[in-house]
Amino acid sequence: MKNRQDPPAAESLARFRARVRFWVLVALSTAHCPLATSCKPNKRYDLIEAELRTRERELTDTRAALEQSRNLNRAYAQQSQSSPGPQVPATAPVYVPVKDITLARGTGGVDEDGVPGDEGLMVVVVPRDEDGAAVKVPARVQVAAWEVTAAGIKNPIGTWDVPAEKVRPTWRAGFISTGYFVAVPWQTYPATERVRVAVRLTTLDGRAFEADKDLFVRPCVPPNAAPAAPTGTPAPVPPATPVPALPRPPREPLYPDPVPPGAEELPPPMRTSQRGSVLLPPVSE
């Protein structure tokens, strides 16, 4: 007679065998995973390493360029110290690359008192760099103006010297013009509409830039000018002599008389009821 296991014991044995198989498979998979990972290259790590090598190379080049610039600055410093020329003070202003200046739109007369005529002058000075862009630099502004007569003669009407500390707050950045808006009153009121303006901008390092422009202003009467007094006594005006009226000729009638004088008037026409011939009366001689 065969020995039969109890159902609970058989189920326990089956569970035990299943667990053993599971853990064996786990152990085998764990043992094979490092081998598989080491065989396949990781692209992400390769990209990171390549990026690091590139950054190290760029850093090396930058350090070399920096060292070269330092050596060049040392050479310039030694040359400036050995040269007999004037020494540049340690507090010298920073060099600003200004190429030129221009008088922008807005340069012209100033009328703020409501009286006809311009009582001052406005110059819009724009310092420009190598690219033609407006740059703000500390500088002094000198302005000169002449009135231009109809014959082309230029008469000076004023010169103004504005220091850098007064020029600095006049900087404006607008849509139409950007620059220093320097306003000055007339020293001598122009007598003509055409005015010639010249401007010189001097930076703190001693460089000077000039620009000029012809413009039109509205002359006004100076506030302290008195009206001109009449010279001499005006001559009396003689009374008007009446002109006699000329006789008017008689007007001819618009329609002449139907019968001129001395002519014989014809008899009236006969009636249509009369028959036969009618003799005319004899003509008296």
Side-chain angles (χ1 to χ4, degrees):
M1 185 174 181
K2 296 181 180 179
N3 296 330
R4 294 183 179 179
Q5 297 179 355
D6 297 335
E11 292 178 1
S12 300
L13 182 60
R15 291 176 182 173
F16 176 76
R17 290 177 179 176
R19 291 177 182 176
V20 170
R21 292 193 193 97
F22 173 77
W23 288 111
V24 169
L25 292 175
V26 170
L28 292 176
S29 62
T30 305
H32 287 287
C33 282
L35 297 177
T37 305
S38 61
C39 294
K40 295 182 180 180
N42 195 331
K43 295 182 179 180
R44 182 179 179 182
Y45 293 153
D46 293 343
L47 293 176
I48 294 175
E49 291 179 359
E51 187 69 19
L52 290 176
R53 287 193 295 268
T54 303
R55 293 292 179 267
E56 290 178 357
R57 184 169 59 254
E58 292 178 353
L59 181 59
T60 303
D61 297 342
T62 304
R63 288 177 177 175
L66 179 60
E67 187 64 24
Q68 183 179 2
S69 300
R70 289 176 178 174
N71 295 334
L72 187 61
N73 291 337
R74 295 192 192 99
Y76 285 154
Q78 293 176 1
Q79 183 179 1
S80 62
Q81 292 177 2
S82 60
S83 61
Q87 301 295 328
V88 179
T91 59
V94 180
Y95 172 77
V96 180
V98 178
K99 181 181 179 182
D100 57 5
I101 65 172
T102 182
L103 299 180
R105 184 178 300 178
T107 301
V110 177
D111 184 10
E112 296 181 351
D113 57 358
V115 180
D118 298 330
E119 66 272 8
L121 176 66
M122 170 76 74
V123 290
V124 182
V125 186
V126 184
R128 300 186 300 183
D129 58 5
E130 296 291 339
D131 298 331
V135 291
K136 184 178 181 180
V137 295
R140 184 182 65 178
V141 174
Q142 295 173 313
V143 183
W146 299 265
E147 63 177 6
V148 183
T149 62
I153 301 175
K154 299 181 179 65
N155 300 322
I157 57 177
T159 56
W160 301 266
D161 191 350
V162 186
E165 56 270 14
K166 292 186 178 180
V167 173
R168 186 183 305 110
T170 62
W171 177 268
R172 300 179 192 173
F175 179 75
I176 299 177
S177 299
T178 299
Y180 293 106
F181 288 72
V182 182
V184 292
W186 293 120
Q187 294 180 356
T188 302
Y189 285 85
T192 60
E193 295 182 351
R194 187 180 176 187
V195 174
R196 180 80 171 181
V197 177
V199 177
R200 174 181 294 176
L201 184 139
T202 306
T203 58
L204 297 184
D205 56 359
R207 293 177 299 153
F209 305 91
E210 296 181 354
D212 53 7
K213 187 177 183 180
D214 288 339
L215 49 94
F216 290 90
V217 299
R218 294 178 297 174
C220 63
V221 179
N224 55 357
T231 58
T233 304
V237 180
T241 303
V243 179
L246 298 177
R248 300 178 62 182
R251 296 181 58 184
E252 297 182 357
L254 185 60
Y255 299 100
D257 296 336
V259 179
E264 183 179 359
E265 185 177 0
L266 297 177
M270 293 183 302
R271 299 178 181 177
T272 56
S273 60
Q274 295 179 357
R275 298 182 180 273
S277 60
V278 179
L279 297 177
L280 296 176
V283 179
S284 59
E285 295 181 357

